[in-house]
Amino acid sequence: MNLFYNKQAVGDVAFLQIELANGEFNYEYKGDVVEIQHENKVVGFNIFNASQKSSIDGNGHIKLNETLVNELQTAIEEAGFTYKLDADFSPKFVVGYVETKEKHPDADKLSVLSVDVATEKLQIVCGAANIEAGQKVVVAKVGAVMPSGMVIKDAELRGVASSGMICSMKELDLPNAPQEKGIMVLSDDYTVGQAFFEE
């Protein structure tokens, strides 16, 4: 679940994205709230006059917390909708350990990785030339919003499932990021599963 807000650019509207979806959408309007559905499934809400209904502040991707989610839930219910928000507050950028690296069966420049992030093992397809088994790396988990605004989602790359992304310094918008391509390799001081950013 992701929340976007930019009062100066688009007005006092909170854009709550529950699921990524493409294609035709259906909209139901009740008061200041619009429920967005795709294939009979709720995928988002637009909440108008958001600053009057919540403590929302800032521009762009807004970090969710329990208070904000409860405020948005109240706004949704008071408008007459019954949908219950289910927020995941776990860190989305974490330290991972590359356990295995295998060649992609259908792409010379891609590797299929098994990456331990402590809570689970993820299969991630990666195109970086410097990725190797035994490295500690920064993993953007599904649901992470990159500094570019791109939302990480489950995907298939040339027929192989991929859940997450191994990040470079440039993709993380870190200072002094090298111009050459390649993922960021972490030192052994990092603990697998720890949040990479202070959240």
Side-chain angles (χ1 to χ4, degrees), residues 139-158:
V139 177
K141 296 170 69 177
V142 170
V145 179
M146 302 300 292
S148 66
M150 179 178 73
V151 180
I152 302 301
K153 57 183 178 178
D154 284 314
E156 270 197 16
L157 295 173
R158 300 290 290 269

Side-chain angles (χ1 to χ4, degrees), residues 7 27 51 59 64 67 70 83 99 110 116 118 133 142 144 155 159 163-164:
K7 190 173 184 179
Y27 303 91
S51 64
N59 287 323
L64 288 167
T67 299
N70 288 338
Y83 187 88
E99 291 192 332
L110 296 178
D116 182 7
V142 170
S163 297

